[in-house]
Structures are given as structure tokens and as C-alpha cells.
Amino acid sequence: AQRVTQPEKLLSVFKGAPVELKCNYSYSGSPELFWYVQYSRQRLQLLLRHISRESIKGFTADLNKGETSFHLKKPFAQEEDSAMYYCAPDGAGTALIFGKGTTLSVSS
Amino acid sequence: DAGVIQSPRHEVTEMGQEVTLRCKPISGHNSLFWYRQTMMRGLELLIYFNNNVPIDDSGMPEDRFSAKMPNASFSTLKIQPSEPRDSAVYFCASSLGGTSYEQYFGPGTRLTVT
């Protein structure tokens, strides 16, 4: 079965520290991959998608087909990055499957 | 555009009662999704529609759950009878078409079943 794993339920870092939110998927073929973010009291929203290969709010995500991973990274965390992050591969023809999410807490 | 609209925002009901959650997608979007969010299971897809037709309802927990989309601008998710384990935040999302497009989420309905 198609599956996405976000191994960390909570990740706590200090402001200015590097951040890596892990995501591993088990899909055949080449799925489209997304990261969604939910800030406190805001709607869940798209942060970035693999195909656009862009950096959003300093975050990047690289697809590693060999490791079937799509980790989200930021070199210097900011307090406003504190949120819940969901990794979501699209199984091309099947419904988008979200991971269980990782709560990122950035403290000063 | 006000985005995806959900109502009610909060619902508290007693076990055994019928609950109806409502969603209005963004105008022009062809796909609509219902999700359930809990601490234990994260964000789970319940069902999604494309052009008002249910495409994948494999995530619907059991027969107590049903969803309809009578037209392009309205969808309902019904739980009958409700149980305490149904307590969760239910999100509706819409997209231009299918799952490869960005999904726009509503604010969610927080359901508490006592």
C-alpha cells in the first residue's frame, strides 16, 4: 500500500538552528510531492511542491528517489516557522495521502 | 473569493445524534476533498469528488459516514449515528482538478461527540 512516513511527531529547535523535517514515502513510479503547513489559527496551506523546485520562506525540499525521501530543510529556523508540517505525495491517479505531520517548535 | 467555507465551525453533540457538516468550495474548482484530523492519526482523506462525482471513498470509516455533492458549490458530510470516537477536526478542501493541483483548505469544523 502507498504510504508516507514522518517519523518525528515533534521537532524542537532554537532560533537560528538548521531544521530538517523528514519524510519518506513508499510509492511506485514518480509521485508528485508536496509539503503543506498549518500555522496556529490559520488554514492548512501549500508550502511548496517538488515540481516547482523553488524555495518558499527559506524552505527547500529535495526529492531523493534512491532513498524515497522528500525532506524539508531550512538553514536557519525562525520563530514564525513554528507550525505543523505535513508531507503529501500524490500517487498519480490516487488520492493525496498525508503523513501524520510533524510539529515544529522554534524557540528563542 | 472568501476561500473554502465550512459550517459550522464548532459542533458539540451527544452520542447517537446525526451530524451534518457543510462545505462550499472555491468557485471554479472541480475537485472537493473531505479530511479528518486527529492527534493519533494525523490528516486522513475520507472521500474526494471530481466534478461532483465521488472518486475515492475508501477512507470513509464505516457506513455511519456518508458524503454528498449535489452540485458544484456544495457538499455535505453526514455522520449518523455519531460516536465519541468521531470527535475530530473535519476539513474540506478544493482544487482546480484532481490531486496534482494545490488544495485549498477550509477552516475546519471541530466536532465533539459526548
Side-chain angles (χ1 to χ4, degrees):
Chain A
Q2 296 161 341
R3 188 175 298 174
V4 56
T5 303
Q6 292 182 251
E8 302 134 333
K9 198 165 186 176
L10 173 65
L11 184 62
S12 297
V13 302
F14 286 107
K15 178 182 172 181
V19 171
E20 182 179 66
L21 300 167
K22 293 185 169 56
C23 172
N24 289 90
Y25 63 92
S26 61
Y27 274 73
S28 58
S30 299
E32 177 65 64
L33 290 146
F34 303 82
W35 276 97
Y36 279 78
V37 61
Q38 187 175 22
Y39 299 104
S40 177
R41 299 189 186 88
Q42 292 189 28
R43 302 183 183 204
L44 192 65
Q45 58 189 283
L46 178 67
L47 178 63
L48 57 80
R49 57 189 300 175
H50 161 62
I51 195 170
S52 47
R53 298 186 182 278
E54 55 190 346
S55 173
I56 304 293
K57 298 184 179 182
F59 284 96
T60 58
D62 292 323
L63 173 62
N64 185 322
K65 291 187 179 180
E67 295 180 359
T68 58
S69 68
F70 189 54
H71 303 328
L72 183 68
K73 300 177 183 178
K74 184 169 183 177
F76 307 104
Q78 302 298 315
E79 289 182 75
E80 55 265 31
D81 296 328
S82 296
M84 172 79 90
Y85 291 81
Y86 289 96
C87 177
D90 170 21
T94 65
L96 201 65
I97 306 294
F98 283 83
K100 291 190 177 182
T102 298
T103 298
L104 174 64
S105 176
V106 182
S107 54
S108 57
Chain B
D1 197 328
V4 175
I5 298 172
Q6 289 185 248
S7 65
R9 294 293 306 277
H10 301 272
E11 177 80 33
V12 180
T13 191
E14 291 183 349
M15 182 174 65
Q17 296 298 306
E18 177 180 294
V19 174
T20 300
L21 311 181
R22 297 173 177 79
C23 175
K24 177 177 167 42
I26 292 173
S27 177
H29 281 189
N30 297 323
S31 295
L32 183 140
F33 308 81
W34 281 101
Y35 293 91
R36 179 172 65 178
Q37 183 186 46
T38 60
M39 289 290 290
M40 289 298 295
R41 301 172 72 92
L43 196 63
E44 302 173 278
L45 176 70
L46 299 177
I47 185 171
Y48 88 92
F49 296 85
N50 203 37
N51 294 320
N52 311 339
V53 176
I55 302 300
D56 184 352
D57 65 354
S58 58
M60 296 286 265
E62 46 198 274
D63 292 344
R64 297 185 297 106
F65 285 69
S66 63
K68 293 182 180 179
M69 192 164 186
N71 56 62
S73 59
F74 183 65
S75 176
T76 59
L77 177 68
K78 187 177 293 186
I79 308 172
Q80 166 63 21
S82 58
E83 296 182 3
R85 60 193 169 119
D86 301 330
S87 298
V89 180
Y90 291 81
F91 288 102
C92 176
S94 69
S95 76
L96 278 172
T99 59
S100 295
Y101 289 85
E102 177 179 356
Q103 294 187 29
Y104 293 81
F105 283 77
T109 295
R110 182 173 296 276
L111 173 65
T112 303
V113 184
T114 61

